[in-house]
Amino acid sequence: MVAMRRKLIWVDGQNFQGWACSDCAWEFNPSGPLVGESIDEMKMHYERQRDKEFASHVCAEHQRATKKTL
């Protein structure tokens, strides 16, 4: 089996700005407000949640829309 080479990328589009997968339509949407007693702690929790969700997502469940040709 070939290892997937997906990457976590920053997307700055018209309808979404944030972290996403380079190989599918998965986008990171935090599940709630930032928590922590300092900015560094909030950043750590955010990054941990983002990285955990990215690592566990299945690209086949987030397929990109394809353009239909006539």
Side-chain angles (χ1 to χ4, degrees), residues 48-63:
R48 186 178 297 146
Q49 179 186 2
R50 178 200 65 198
D51 294 348
K52 182 178 177 182
E53 289 184 25
F54 175 71
S56 66
H57 89 276
V58 177
C59 286
E61 295 174 3
H62 302 275
Q63 295 181 358

Side-chain angles (χ1 to χ4, degrees), residues 4-67:
M4 294 185 66
R5 298 184 191 264
R6 67 186 186 191
K7 295 178 183 175
L8 190 60
I9 59 170
W10 181 258
V11 174
D12 193 5
Q14 186 174 2
N15 298 319
F16 177 77
Q17 181 179 35
W19 295 101
C21 180
S22 62
D23 287 352
C24 71
W26 177 88
E27 298 171 339
F28 176 63
N29 293 304
S31 60
L34 296 174
V35 294
E37 296 188 22
S38 68
I39 296 294
D40 287 337
E41 193 173 307
M42 289 180 203
K43 180 182 173 185
M44 181 186 68
H45 287 294
Y46 175 90
E47 290 173 342
R48 186 178 297 146
Q49 179 186 2
R50 178 200 65 198
D51 294 348
K52 182 178 177 182
E53 289 184 25
F54 175 71
S56 66
H57 89 276
V58 177
C59 286
E61 295 174 3
H62 302 275
Q63 295 181 358
R64 290 187 176 145
T66 58
K67 293 181 181 179

